[in-house]
Amino acid sequence: MFLFAGLGNPGPKYAGNRHNIGFMAVDAIARRHHFSPWRRRFQGAACEGEIEGQKVLALLPETYMNESGRAVAEAQRFYKIELRDLFAFHDELDLPPAKVRAKLGGGNAGHNGLRSITAQCGNDYGRVRLGIGHPGDKALVHSYVLSDFAKAEQGWVEAVCDGCAELAGLLVARKLEEFQSRFHLLLEARGFGAATQPGADKR
């Protein structure tokens, strides 16, 4: 079984935050692939389904971002899921908006959700990095990630979540490079290519 963990904060107060794009992406995957209804499990909301013949557990931890690893580790232990079959979907300040990267292992880049998962589970799990751009000043990061996406950003946010849902089969097939390249083409086709990315980070 695979575990797709969306990272974010629970409750309506945070639902539209940039920090919650991981929640949004995993929810889109569950809808597209007709997973079972969400229910309270593993200190979060969980549902199950199949993608390309592989069983997948979708999990939205309700432990708040900084303690994401508690929920993820509980689900991983229950189903004896291998670390390489865990994918964390999370916001990424160091990528421009509408840019997506997937990799196995690597650093946590100061992301508290990843840091918590690494502490609880180990480091060699998959990361699906969903670019949200950087406010340009380190002092503004906290308020930036905990503020809602602007109305003008909704188009690319929806395109990114749709892309995760459409291409999720490549993750369970472990074709991470193809996932990235197909994602790039999909976003370009939707008008969110590198040259047209709104709010692209100019650092």
Side-chain angles (χ1 to χ4, degrees), residues 22-34:
F23 268 21
M24 299 172 197
V26 169
D27 186 47
I29 291 170
R31 284 198 313 272
R32 170 72 67 94
H33 297 277
H34 308 292

Side-chain angles (χ1 to χ4, degrees):
M1 178 179 272
F2 284 79
L3 172 54
F4 284 4
L7 303 191
N9 289 310
K13 175 182 175 183
Y14 301 102
N17 285 184
R18 292 181 175 88
H19 220 18
N20 272 42
I21 194 171
F23 268 21
M24 299 172 197
V26 169
D27 186 47
I29 291 170
R31 284 198 313 272
R32 170 72 67 94
H33 297 277
H34 308 292
F35 279 23
S36 63
W38 292 98
R39 61 191 180 107
R40 294 295 302 277
R41 292 182 78 193
F42 309 120
Q43 303 179 64
C47 61
E48 295 177 32
E50 280 195 8
I51 300 175
E52 298 296 329
Q54 298 284 348
K55 288 186 178 180
V56 178
L57 174 73
L59 176 67
L60 306 180
E62 293 179 351
T63 47
Y64 289 91
M65 181 67 86
N66 293 4
E67 298 290 339
S68 300
R70 284 171 36 210
V72 172
E74 188 176 322
Q76 187 204 6
R77 285 195 300 268
F78 183 87
Y79 282 110
K80 298 180 174 61
I81 294 169
E82 291 187 37
L83 205 49
R84 67 174 189 156
D85 294 335
L86 160 62
F87 285 91
F89 293 72
H90 65 93
D91 58 308
E92 178 59 74
L93 286 162
D94 292 331
L95 286 176
K99 208 73 168 167
V100 175
R101 292 282 182 270
K103 64 175 181 176
L104 205 58
N108 298 325
H111 195 287
N112 289 333
L114 296 181
R115 186 180 289 128
S116 177
I117 293 173
T118 296
Q120 295 277 349
C121 303
N123 194 59
D124 297 325
Y125 57 91
R127 286 108 158 126
V128 180
R129 306 165 63 205
L130 309 170
I132 60 168
H134 195 286
D137 182 343
K138 194 174 180 181
L140 300 175
V141 164
H142 184 75
S143 59
Y144 177 76
V145 299
L146 292 179
S147 61
D148 286 357
F149 285 109
K151 192 173 181 181
E153 296 177 286
Q154 293 302 323
W156 70 257
V157 173
E158 187 178 312
V160 164
C161 293
D162 286 350
C164 287
E166 187 173 323
L167 302 174
L170 294 172
L171 297 177
V172 300
R174 308 186 198 286
K175 296 179 179 178
L176 302 192
E177 287 188 12
E178 187 178 345
F179 174 85
Q180 281 188 185
S181 59
R182 291 269 300 277
F183 217 114
H184 177 74
L185 293 173
L186 186 149
L187 268 291
E188 275 200 338
R190 293 280 296 269
F192 302 108
T196 57
Q197 282 171 356
D201 188 4
K202 299 298 194 298
R203 289 179 303 156

